[in-house]
Amino acid sequence: MLNIAFVGFGNAVVNYHLPYLERQDQINVKSIFRREEDRIGDTEREAWYPDIRFTTSFEEVLNDDEIELIVICTHVDSHVAYAKQALEHNKHVLVEKPFAPTVEEAEEIFDLAKSKGLIAMANQNRRFDGDFLTLKKVIDSGVLGRLIEIQSHYDYFNPQHIQKGFGLLHGLAVHTIDQLYSLFGKPEAIHYDVRSINHPGESDDYVDIDFHYGLLKTTVKCSLAVKINHPKFIVHGDKGSFIKYSSGHQQKNPDGVTKASFEVEPASNWGELSYIDENGIEHNESVKSEITDYGILYEKLYASIKTGAEKPVKDEEVLAVLKILNDGVEAAKNSGGSQ
């Protein structure tokens, strides 16, 4: 059994961690640390989880010998401090994305973990989104031939909420950048078009980043000014094309414990595939959606901790994504540009 503790009790913990851990029999959530100021007016939710111990003492968590893994789900500006304290107390750490504010701070965490024989890893759980797993299934099948272009969209329509400050890259684009980086690795070149519609040089509400891999170009797009629903993924190869709309987010429950759904989504939202096979025959097919399951990341992390298996999210991937995010912010400050 792997006993774990959480730092924080916000949206990520309640809706994207705990619901998927219910099916992980080898993992036990023992404690959740919350700062006293975060509990003010918000203590009733704790009663929804009678088997979890809530505490306002981080020292209590750090000194609990049964706890092997601490999962840090706070704002990015406190990730480094919590991660270092946990590692110093010989705990493995899983840290929400973005992993750290800077590449240098992320390297410090990884170096400390290695020096103590521990695991520090970013929670890139969106690699296990149903729509992304469906995309991988189609790419791996090879029916599209040589890949020419992949577009990944993560958009909203909130132009009235566009404010000064940088957050879209680190808040949304971090997911899709990591997804594509996990597929293709380090690109030969990157082009940044990151800017703001209302606050040029002071925000990053429009993101369009191209990654070049020889003939293949992958693009991550995020915007707060997209009114009509756009496919989450568009793929073109020299044998065919594939599109997939978003599988959406986990359904939240404001009145009790959130339950994850492991049902296949309606066929109306399955992917659309059109290709020409090796005999010149055209195929037009609906591609059954894979199921979102963030518990898979925990299964793989469990194997890393208990058996020494390779981490599902590699250090170099985390560092590369952080550099892309920070370079994107710099591009936005300069109203766009190339890197």
Side-chain angles (χ1 to χ4, degrees):
M1 180 66 68
L2 176 69
N3 286 296
I4 72 174
F6 281 92
V7 176
F9 188 52
N11 173 60
V13 174
V14 171
N15 295 304
Y16 300 108
H17 286 268
L18 295 179
Y20 293 94
L21 283 168
E22 283 189 2
R23 303 206 314 179
Q24 301 300 317
D25 295 335
Q26 76 279 28
I27 298 175
N28 174 56
V29 181
K30 184 177 182 182
S31 302
I32 293 179
F33 161 69
R34 305 182 73 192
R35 298 180 306 174
E36 189 63 57
E37 57 265 37
D38 294 331
R39 298 182 72 245
I40 297 174
D42 182 37
T43 58
E44 292 184 3
R45 292 186 304 131
E46 295 177 8
W48 298 348
Y49 304 92
D51 296 329
I52 300 175
R53 174 177 173 76
F54 286 83
T55 178
T56 56
S57 170
F58 191 42
E59 288 296 321
E60 178 182 313
V61 174
L62 293 173
N63 293 321
D64 188 334
D65 292 336
E66 290 186 349
I67 292 173
E68 295 182 66
L69 170 68
I70 294 180
V71 185
I72 300 167
C73 299
T74 58
H75 192 272
V76 65
D77 60 9
S78 61
H79 285 182
V80 175
Y82 280 127
K84 285 184 175 180
Q85 288 181 75
L87 291 166
E88 291 288 3
H89 284 77
N90 296 308
K91 313 293 188 186
H92 304 284
V93 292
L94 177 65
V95 185
E96 267 297 349
K97 61 277 185 197
F99 185 77
T102 66
V103 172
E104 291 74 22
E105 288 170 303
E107 288 176 329
E108 290 177 9
I109 295 174
F110 289 137
D111 288 344
L112 177 58
K114 289 175 183 175
S115 72
K116 299 181 73 66
L118 297 167
I119 287 176
M121 196 180 82
N123 181 50
Q124 290 293 2
N125 60 323
R126 303 300 292 273
R127 296 185 185 187
F128 304 99
D129 278 346
D131 45 32
F132 180 64
L133 293 175
T134 307
L135 169 74
K136 286 184 64 178
K137 178 172 65 175
V138 171
I139 290 176
D140 290 344
S141 74
V143 298
L144 297 178
R146 291 189 303 170
L147 298 178
I148 298 170
E149 180 180 16
I150 300 177
Q151 293 183 27
S152 172
H153 288 253
Y154 198 166
D155 304 313
Y156 287 98
F157 186 71
N158 292 313
Q160 70 276 16
H161 293 145
I162 295 176
Q163 300 175 347
K164 293 181 181 179
F166 301 92
L168 194 66
L169 274 162
H170 287 77
L172 293 186
V174 60
H175 306 307
T176 46
I177 290 171
D178 175 76
Q179 286 177 337
L180 293 182
Y181 198 96
S182 73
L183 288 179
F184 302 107
K186 183 179 179 180
E188 298 167 8
I190 305 175
H191 178 264
Y192 295 86
D193 180 4
V194 184
R195 49 197 163 92
S196 175
I197 305 304
N198 297 336
H199 308 287
E202 299 179 284
S203 181
D204 61 346
D205 50 83
Y206 178 89
V207 174
D208 187 337
I209 305 178
D210 292 332
F211 304 88
H212 296 271
Y213 301 88
L215 295 176
L216 170 64
K217 180 180 77 171
T218 69
T219 302
V220 167
K221 293 178 68 73
C222 292
S223 174
L224 297 180
V226 175
K227 183 67 171 65
I228 295 176
N229 191 25
H230 198 283
K232 179 67 178 289
F233 296 110
I234 302 173
V235 187
H236 301 300
D238 63 2
K239 297 294 184 182
S241 297
F242 172 73
I243 66 169
K244 174 73 178 77
Y245 284 83
S246 172
S247 294
H249 292 295
Q250 166 66 48
Q251 188 68 37
K252 302 174 184 179
N253 180 8
D255 302 314
V257 175
T258 293
K259 297 292 184 181
S261 171
F262 297 96
E263 299 293 324
V264 177
E265 66 181 354
S268 59
N269 201 51
W270 291 1
E272 298 177 35
L273 173 65
S274 180
Y275 67 96
I276 305 297
D277 68 18
E278 62 274 12
N279 298 314
I281 299 173
E282 180 177 346
H283 298 259
N284 294 288
E285 304 172 358
S286 180
V287 180
K288 183 179 180 180
S289 297
E290 297 297 301
I291 296 171
T292 296
D293 185 358
Y294 302 143
I296 298 173
L297 182 138
Y298 274 100
E299 292 174 5
K300 293 178 179 293
L301 179 56
Y302 176 91
S304 299
I305 292 172
K306 294 295 189 178
T307 71
E310 185 178 51
K311 290 193 294 187
V313 182
K314 301 178 181 63
D315 296 357
E316 56 268 26
E317 295 171 337
V318 176
L319 297 174
V321 170
L322 274 177
K323 184 177 188 308
I324 292 166
L325 295 173
N326 292 335
D327 285 350
V329 169
E330 290 304 310
K333 290 178 179 179
N334 294 298
S335 297
S338 299
Q339 189 70 26

